[in-house]
Amino acid sequence: VQLQASGGGLVRAGGSLRLSCTASRAITSVFNPETVAWYRQEPGKERELVASITPARATDYADSVNGRFTISRDNAWKRVYLQMNNLKPEDTARYYCNTYPPSPSWHWGQGTQVTVSS
C-alpha cells in the first residue's frame, strides 16, 4: 500500500491545517479493517504517534495534541485526515500516516511538512 500525505505548510502559531493521507492502490477491504494513525518526526528524533482511529472510529491522541487535533477517516475514499487547530511551534515536524502499529506492507511515503512559526 502506497501512502500519500498532503496538506502541510507554513503557518503561524495559533493557526490551523488539515492533513490528508490517501492509501493509494489499496482496496477498501484492505484499508477498512485497519486502525490507521498519524505520526510525526523531527530531524534526528524518533517518529512518534500523534493520533489513531480504529475501524469503528474510536480515536486516541498523544497528550501533546489532545484537544487540538482531530483524526477522522473516509473508508470509501481510503483516506485519513488530521485537523490541527491552535498549532504550536513544537508541532513542527514531518507528518506521516500508516497503520497502528505500523505495517511493513504500508509504505510511509514522503510525508508532509508542517512548520509552525512563533
Side-chain angles (χ1 to χ4, degrees):
V1 175
Q2 301 295 324
L3 297 166
Q4 298 171 304
S6 61
L10 173 63
V11 64
R12 290 185 176 182
S16 297
L17 286 172
R18 188 186 191 220
L19 306 185
S20 176
C21 182
T22 301
S24 62
R25 305 181 189 177
I27 56 178
T28 54
S29 62
V30 170
F31 180 86
N32 292 357
E34 298 287 347
T35 293
V36 289
W38 283 96
Y39 301 79
R40 65 187 181 188
Q41 187 172 25
E42 298 176 67
K45 294 188 177 181
E46 294 286 321
R47 190 171 287 159
E48 64 172 347
L49 176 67
V50 174
S52 63
I53 183 167
T54 69
R57 292 180 166 79
T59 58
D60 195 21
Y61 298 92
D63 289 344
S64 59
V65 307
N66 198 21
R68 300 187 296 120
F69 291 10
T70 302
I71 188 171
S72 60
R73 64 189 294 164
D74 184 332
N75 287 343
W77 289 98
K78 299 164 289 180
R79 288 177 182 162
V80 58
Y81 303 99
L82 188 68
Q83 177 67 43
M84 306 187 296
N85 298 329
N86 190 22
L87 282 160
K88 302 177 180 181
E90 51 264 43
D91 295 319
T92 295
R94 184 164 289 272
Y95 285 70
Y96 303 83
C97 67
N98 207 307
T99 58
Y100 177 75
S103 169
S105 300
W106 291 47
H107 302 284
W108 289 98
Q110 297 298 310
T112 187
Q113 178 67 35
V114 172
T115 303
V116 185
S117 63
S118 57

PDB file of all heavy atoms in Angstrom, residues 59-75:
ATOM      1  N   THR A  59     -11.098   6.948  18.659  1.00  0.00           N
ATOM      2  CA  THR A  59      -9.879   7.724  18.452  1.00  0.00           C
ATOM      3  C   THR A  59      -9.034   7.786  19.719  1.00  0.00           C
ATOM      4  O   THR A  59      -9.539   7.637  20.841  1.00  0.00           O
ATOM      5  CB  THR A  59     -10.217   9.162  18.004  1.00  0.00           C
ATOM      6  OG1 THR A  59     -11.051   9.772  18.997  1.00  0.00           O
ATOM      7  CG2 THR A  59     -10.946   9.156  16.673  1.00  0.00           C
ATOM      8  N   ASP A  60      -7.758   8.044  19.500  1.00  0.00           N
ATOM      9  CA  ASP A  60      -6.823   8.198  20.611  1.00  0.00           C
ATOM     10  C   ASP A  60      -5.784   9.206  20.183  1.00  0.00           C
ATOM     11  O   ASP A  60      -5.427   9.279  18.997  1.00  0.00           O
ATOM     12  CB  ASP A  60      -6.165   6.869  20.957  1.00  0.00           C
ATOM     13  CG  ASP A  60      -5.478   6.898  22.307  1.00  0.00           C
ATOM     14  OD1 ASP A  60      -5.831   7.767  23.136  1.00  0.00           O
ATOM     15  OD2 ASP A  60      -4.592   6.058  22.550  1.00  0.00           O
ATOM     16  N   TYR A  61      -5.301   9.992  21.148  1.00  0.00           N
ATOM     17  CA  TYR A  61      -4.385  11.083  20.837  1.00  0.00           C
ATOM     18  C   TYR A  61      -3.218  11.112  21.811  1.00  0.00           C
ATOM     19  O   TYR A  61      -3.357  10.760  22.991  1.00  0.00           O
ATOM     20  CB  TYR A  61      -5.121  12.432  20.925  1.00  0.00           C
ATOM     21  CG  TYR A  61      -6.258  12.567  19.949  1.00  0.00           C
ATOM     22  CD1 TYR A  61      -7.553  12.209  20.298  1.00  0.00           C
ATOM     23  CD2 TYR A  61      -6.034  13.044  18.657  1.00  0.00           C
ATOM     24  CE1 TYR A  61      -8.600  12.316  19.390  1.00  0.00           C
ATOM     25  CE2 TYR A  61      -7.079  13.162  17.743  1.00  0.00           C
ATOM     26  CZ  TYR A  61      -8.353  12.785  18.126  1.00  0.00           C
ATOM     27  OH  TYR A  61      -9.376  12.892  17.227  1.00  0.00           O
ATOM     28  N   ALA A  62      -2.090  11.578  21.314  1.00  0.00           N
ATOM     29  CA  ALA A  62      -0.977  11.874  22.194  1.00  0.00           C
ATOM     30  C   ALA A  62      -1.388  13.028  23.109  1.00  0.00           C
ATOM     31  O   ALA A  62      -2.150  13.920  22.708  1.00  0.00           O
ATOM     32  CB  ALA A  62       0.254  12.256  21.384  1.00  0.00           C
ATOM     33  N   ASP A  63      -0.869  12.998  24.335  1.00  0.00           N
ATOM     34  CA  ASP A  63      -1.227  14.054  25.291  1.00  0.00           C
ATOM     35  C   ASP A  63      -0.915  15.444  24.735  1.00  0.00           C
ATOM     36  O   ASP A  63      -1.645  16.403  25.003  1.00  0.00           O
ATOM     37  CB  ASP A  63      -0.464  13.841  26.596  1.00  0.00           C
ATOM     38  CG  ASP A  63      -0.964  12.633  27.374  1.00  0.00           C
ATOM     39  OD1 ASP A  63      -2.079  12.152  27.078  1.00  0.00           O
ATOM     40  OD2 ASP A  63      -0.234  12.178  28.274  1.00  0.00           O
ATOM     41  N   SER A  64       0.153  15.542  23.972  1.00  0.00           N
ATOM     42  CA  SER A  64       0.611  16.847  23.481  1.00  0.00           C
ATOM     43  C   SER A  64      -0.353  17.480  22.480  1.00  0.00           C
ATOM     44  O   SER A  64      -0.292  18.688  22.249  1.00  0.00           O
ATOM     45  CB  SER A  64       1.992  16.718  22.857  1.00  0.00           C
ATOM     46  OG  SER A  64       1.968  15.799  21.786  1.00  0.00           O
ATOM     47  N   VAL A  65      -1.221  16.688  21.881  1.00  0.00           N
ATOM     48  CA  VAL A  65      -2.127  17.228  20.857  1.00  0.00           C
ATOM     49  C   VAL A  65      -3.591  17.081  21.240  1.00  0.00           C
ATOM     50  O   VAL A  65      -4.473  17.607  20.544  1.00  0.00           O
ATOM     51  CB  VAL A  65      -1.890  16.562  19.488  1.00  0.00           C
ATOM     52  CG1 VAL A  65      -0.427  16.643  19.100  1.00  0.00           C
ATOM     53  CG2 VAL A  65      -2.378  15.127  19.457  1.00  0.00           C
ATOM     54  N   ASN A  66      -3.875  16.384  22.310  1.00  0.00           N
ATOM     55  CA  ASN A  66      -5.250  16.134  22.727  1.00  0.00           C
ATOM     56  C   ASN A  66      -5.991  17.455  22.940  1.00  0.00           C
ATOM     57  O   ASN A  66      -5.489  18.351  23.625  1.00  0.00           O
ATOM     58  CB  ASN A  66      -5.260  15.290  23.999  1.00  0.00           C
ATOM     59  CG  ASN A  66      -6.601  14.648  24.238  1.00  0.00           C
ATOM     60  OD1 ASN A  66      -7.403  14.492  23.336  1.00  0.00           O
ATOM     61  ND2 ASN A  66      -6.848  14.246  25.476  1.00  0.00           N
ATOM     62  N   GLY A  67      -7.150  17.549  22.336  1.00  0.00           N
ATOM     63  CA  GLY A  67      -7.932  18.771  22.448  1.00  0.00           C
ATOM     64  C   GLY A  67      -7.657  19.777  21.342  1.00  0.00           C
ATOM     65  O   GLY A  67      -8.412  20.741  21.172  1.00  0.00           O
ATOM     66  N   ARG A  68      -6.596  19.551  20.585  1.00  0.00           N
ATOM     67  CA  ARG A  68      -6.259  20.472  19.479  1.00  0.00           C
ATOM     68  C   ARG A  68      -6.358  19.802  18.115  1.00  0.00           C
ATOM     69  O   ARG A  68      -6.674  20.453  17.125  1.00  0.00           O
ATOM     70  CB  ARG A  68      -4.829  21.010  19.660  1.00  0.00           C
ATOM     71  CG  ARG A  68      -4.617  21.780  20.940  1.00  0.00           C
ATOM     72  CD  ARG A  68      -3.236  22.434  20.983  1.00  0.00           C
ATOM     73  NE  ARG A  68      -2.148  21.458  20.982  1.00  0.00           N
ATOM     74  CZ  ARG A  68      -1.208  21.407  20.033  1.00  0.00           C
ATOM     75  NH1 ARG A  68      -1.215  22.257  19.024  1.00  0.00           N
ATOM     76  NH2 ARG A  68      -0.239  20.492  20.112  1.00  0.00           N
ATOM     77  N   PHE A  69      -6.075  18.516  18.077  1.00  0.00           N
ATOM     78  CA  PHE A  69      -6.087  17.765  16.825  1.00  0.00           C
ATOM     79  C   PHE A  69      -7.280  16.823  16.794  1.00  0.00           C
ATOM     80  O   PHE A  69      -7.697  16.301  17.837  1.00  0.00           O
ATOM     81  CB  PHE A  69      -4.811  16.931  16.674  1.00  0.00           C
ATOM     82  CG  PHE A  69      -3.553  17.720  16.444  1.00  0.00           C
ATOM     83  CD1 PHE A  69      -3.509  19.097  16.566  1.00  0.00           C
ATOM     84  CD2 PHE A  69      -2.377  17.061  16.088  1.00  0.00           C
ATOM     85  CE1 PHE A  69      -2.343  19.807  16.347  1.00  0.00           C
ATOM     86  CE2 PHE A  69      -1.194  17.747  15.859  1.00  0.00           C
ATOM     87  CZ  PHE A  69      -1.180  19.126  15.997  1.00  0.00           C
ATOM     88  N   THR A  70      -7.796  16.580  15.593  1.00  0.00           N
ATOM     89  CA  THR A  70      -8.891  15.631  15.407  1.00  0.00           C
ATOM     90  C   THR A  70      -8.578  14.741  14.216  1.00  0.00           C
ATOM     91  O   THR A  70      -8.331  15.236  13.112  1.00  0.00           O
ATOM     92  CB  THR A  70     -10.214  16.362  15.167  1.00  0.00           C
ATOM     93  OG1 THR A  70     -10.496  17.232  16.263  1.00  0.00           O
ATOM     94  CG2 THR A  70     -11.354  15.356  15.029  1.00  0.00           C
ATOM     95  N   ILE A  71      -8.600  13.440  14.445  1.00  0.00           N
ATOM     96  CA  ILE A  71      -8.368  12.482  13.374  1.00  0.00           C
ATOM     97  C   ILE A  71      -9.712  11.947  12.890  1.00  0.00           C
ATOM     98  O   ILE A  71     -10.645  11.765  13.686  1.00  0.00           O
ATOM     99  CB  ILE A  71      -7.456  11.326  13.843  1.00  0.00           C
ATOM    100  CG1 ILE A  71      -7.057  10.431  12.665  1.00  0.00           C
ATOM    101  CG2 ILE A  71      -8.096  10.525  14.966  1.00  0.00           C
ATOM    102  CD1 ILE A  71      -5.981   9.397  13.021  1.00  0.00           C
ATOM    103  N   SER A  72      -9.817  11.722  11.596  1.00  0.00           N
ATOM    104  CA  SER A  72     -11.030  11.152  11.025  1.00  0.00           C
ATOM    105  C   SER A  72     -10.642  10.305   9.819  1.00  0.00           C
ATOM    106  O   SER A  72      -9.499  10.364   9.350  1.00  0.00           O
ATOM    107  CB  SER A  72     -12.018  12.248  10.627  1.00  0.00           C
ATOM    108  OG  SER A  72     -11.455  13.116   9.665  1.00  0.00           O
ATOM    109  N   ARG A  73     -11.613   9.541   9.318  1.00  0.00           N
ATOM    110  CA  ARG A  73     -11.315   8.671   8.187  1.00  0.00           C
ATOM    111  C   ARG A  73     -12.515   8.609   7.248  1.00  0.00           C
ATOM    112  O   ARG A  73     -13.661   8.784   7.680  1.00  0.00           O
ATOM    113  CB  ARG A  73     -10.927   7.276   8.649  1.00  0.00           C
ATOM    114  CG  ARG A  73     -12.015   6.518   9.361  1.00  0.00           C
ATOM    115  CD  ARG A  73     -11.472   5.223   9.986  1.00  0.00           C
ATOM    116  NE  ARG A  73     -11.037   4.254   8.994  1.00  0.00           N
ATOM    117  CZ  ARG A  73     -10.254   3.208   9.268  1.00  0.00           C
ATOM    118  NH1 ARG A  73      -9.819   3.021  10.505  1.00  0.00           N
ATOM    119  NH2 ARG A  73      -9.912   2.358   8.319  1.00  0.00           N
ATOM    120  N   ASP A  74     -12.214   8.364   5.984  1.00  0.00           N
ATOM    121  CA  ASP A  74     -13.231   8.180   4.962  1.00  0.00           C
ATOM    122  C   ASP A  74     -12.918   6.855   4.282  1.00  0.00           C
ATOM    123  O   ASP A  74     -12.013   6.778   3.450  1.00  0.00           O
ATOM    124  CB  ASP A  74     -13.198   9.338   3.963  1.00  0.00           C
ATOM    125  CG  ASP A  74     -14.300   9.244   2.921  1.00  0.00           C
ATOM    126  OD1 ASP A  74     -14.755   8.134   2.598  1.00  0.00           O
ATOM    127  OD2 ASP A  74     -14.710  10.305   2.418  1.00  0.00           O
ATOM    128  N   ASN A  75     -13.637   5.823   4.659  1.00  0.00           N
ATOM    129  CA  ASN A  75     -13.316   4.491   4.145  1.00  0.00           C
ATOM    130  C   ASN A  75     -13.599   4.362   2.655  1.00  0.00           C
ATOM    131  O   ASN A  75     -12.898   3.630   1.951  1.00  0.00           O
ATOM    132  CB  ASN A  75     -14.100   3.436   4.913  1.00  0.00           C
ATOM    133  CG  ASN A  75     -13.563   3.223   6.317  1.00  0.00           C
ATOM    134  OD1 ASN A  75     -12.440   3.617   6.631  1.00  0.00           O
ATOM    135  ND2 ASN A  75     -14.365   2.609   7.161  1.00  0.00           N
TER     136      ASN A  75
END
